[in-house]
Amino acid sequence: MNLKEIITACVLFLGSAGLFILSFRSFREKGFLFNNAYIYASKQEREHMNKKPYYRQSAIIFLLLGVYFVLDGMKVLLNMDWLFWPAGIIIVVTIIYAIVSSIKLPG
């Protein structure tokens, strides 16, 4: 294991920590709502919008991405190439969840 791998793993773990924090705050419905439906809504639409399902969708996506970053960091740090498959599955599940939940959400 060389310095480049250690730095890469640290960056991935820091990224995952940031994603977990965003996920936690979104589950608590605190902070900015990182969701396209909210971001692109007019000010008047935002005032009347039920934000709870959008916070939940964003929180779940941030959580899944945080898990992906942890798996990728472990793959780099521990040189476990087989972690490519679980990480890939997490990404596919995240994409499918984002699409299906966007279709099911109101608006």
Side-chain angles (χ1 to χ4, degrees):
M1 178 171 29
N2 58 29
L3 184 62
K4 181 180 167 184
E5 291 172 335
I6 293 172
I7 292 171
T8 302
C10 286
V11 168
L12 288 168
F13 290 138
L14 284 173
S16 70
L19 287 164
F20 288 140
I21 290 168
L22 284 173
S23 176
F24 178 75
R25 291 184 53 83
S26 292
F27 274 122
R28 297 198 38 150
E29 298 178 16
K30 303 287 183 191
F32 185 76
L33 178 53
F34 292 99
N35 193 293
N36 284 341
Y38 180 78
I39 292 171
Y40 292 120
S42 68
K43 187 175 181 179
Q44 188 177 28
E45 289 173 327
R46 288 181 184 181
E47 290 173 1
H48 300 297
M49 181 184 281
N50 178 15
K51 298 176 188 110
K52 186 172 185 157
Y54 298 105
Y55 269 116
R56 181 169 158 64
Q57 179 191 35
S58 297
I60 291 171
I61 290 173
F62 288 139
L63 179 66
L64 289 169
L65 288 174
V67 171
Y68 168 77
F69 272 58
V70 167
L71 288 174
D72 212 27
M74 288 173 45
K75 181 175 78 89
V76 170
L77 189 63
L78 303 174
N79 214 8
M80 299 174 134
D81 291 334
W82 62 270
L83 284 175
F84 170 81
W85 296 107
I89 291 169
I90 292 289
I91 287 298
V92 169
V93 167
T94 303
I95 292 169
I96 291 170
Y97 174 77
I99 292 169
V100 171
S101 64
S102 293
I103 291 170
K104 288 186 174 184
L105 282 175

